[in-house]
Amino acid sequence: DGGLVRFDSAYLGHEKDSDKNVVLVTGGGSRWDGVIRAYVGNYGSGNRLVVADGGRVNVLPLLIGVKNGSADNAVLVTGTGSELSTGSISVGYRGAGNVMTISDGGIVHSGRAFVGSYPGADSNAVFVTGNNSVWNNANELRLGDGGSGNALHVNDGGLVSVGESMFNRNYSTLAIDDPASRIEVGEHYYQDATSMLRFGISSNGADSAFLSVGGTAEFEVGATVQYQSDIMLPDFETVF
């Protein structure tokens, strides 16, 4: 509720077995500002950064799940007025099973963004959920850059904005789960043969989730696009 912390570098879960640490930034006017870097789970696992109820965090790079074996770390940005701003972000730098959730009007601003940066950074995920929840990327977004089985889910009116290009690779899933949600890509969208793009559609089939691409959309042979209804319509797949 109005507190301020400034730092050069912050390591949450810095050493091995440094697990289940929590930083909570909550309330209007509460800020956590960094100059160089912030790690949520360097070697440790199960660490949490929560930005809620109007709190704000400003860092240059933010890395979640930094080292091999750094798993199940999480960042939550939730509530109207809650913001996380970073020059670049990696959800799963080398670690697996890390999560970022943006919900209930929370906003994340980033330059470049990665979900599963290096080999071994598998099964990481980002969820953007709820009206006015926004992940705004000024540059490119890479889903499954080195790791495999990573995912981005947008639902219940969430928005993901990508200023440059977006890449969906290495058995990853991009899911826009309902017609109220959308992803806007300023330049190009690329999807490899192993990955999936899934659109949710309304129960009567009249409305679909929305992906806007300002440039070209390129799909490798074998790439999957799936349309899925939550109630009435059967699933079907289109394979390019």
Side-chain angles (χ1 to χ4, degrees):
D1 295 325
L4 171 63
V5 175
R6 287 196 172 102
F7 59 91
D8 288 335
S9 300
Y11 301 91
L12 184 59
H14 182 51
E15 302 294 341
K16 291 182 179 179
D17 301 320
S18 179
D19 302 331
K20 298 182 179 179
N21 301 284
V22 178
V23 169
L24 177 63
V25 184
T26 182
S30 299
R31 289 169 49 202
W32 197 37
D33 291 345
V35 177
I36 300 176
R37 65 182 67 86
Y39 293 172
V40 179
N42 186 38
Y43 284 99
S45 296
N47 299 284
R48 302 286 184 268
L49 168 61
V50 179
V51 187
D53 299 328
R56 298 195 176 200
V57 172
N58 300 285
V59 295
L60 289 181
L62 173 63
L63 306 183
I64 307 165
V66 179
K67 307 295 187 183
N68 292 328
S70 179
D72 301 320
N73 301 286
V75 169
L76 170 63
V77 182
T78 184
T80 301
S82 302
E83 291 191 16
L84 168 64
S85 299
T86 178
S88 64
I89 188 168
S90 177
V91 182
Y93 188 70
R94 295 185 185 274
N98 302 283
V99 175
M100 180 172 73
T101 301
I102 307 165
S103 67
D104 299 327
I107 299 175
V108 172
H109 301 283
S110 54
R112 300 180 72 198
F114 304 86
V115 184
S117 297
Y118 285 94
D122 304 330
S123 302
N124 301 284
V126 175
F127 299 89
V128 183
T129 180
N131 287 327
N132 301 314
S133 299
V134 177
W135 187 14
N136 179 33
N137 297 280
N139 304 120
E140 62 186 15
L141 170 57
R142 292 180 174 265
L143 179 60
D145 200 39
S148 66
N150 297 283
L152 169 58
H153 291 269
V154 190
N155 55 48
D156 293 333
L159 166 65
V160 174
S161 174
V162 182
E164 296 180 356
S165 295
M166 182 173 184
F167 301 84
N168 182 8
R169 306 191 302 178
N170 294 324
Y171 298 93
S172 295
T173 297
L174 174 59
I176 314 171
D177 292 325
D178 58 79
S181 304
R182 65 192 190 279
I183 295 179
E184 299 173 352
V185 180
E187 295 183 359
H188 310 295
Y189 175 82
Y190 171 82
Q191 181 175 321
D192 75 2
T194 68
S195 297
M196 175 180 288
L197 170 61
R198 189 175 72 223
F199 294 98
I201 58 179
S202 60
S203 58
N204 62 7
D207 298 300
S208 173
F210 188 71
L211 171 65
S212 170
V213 179
T216 60
E218 180 180 351
F219 296 83
E220 282 189 357
V221 173
T224 298
V225 178
Q226 183 184 68
Y227 300 85
Q228 183 175 30
S229 169
D230 56 352
I231 302 177
M232 295 174 59
L233 297 180
D235 299 346
F236 64 94
E237 295 183 354
T238 301
V239 179
F240 293 83

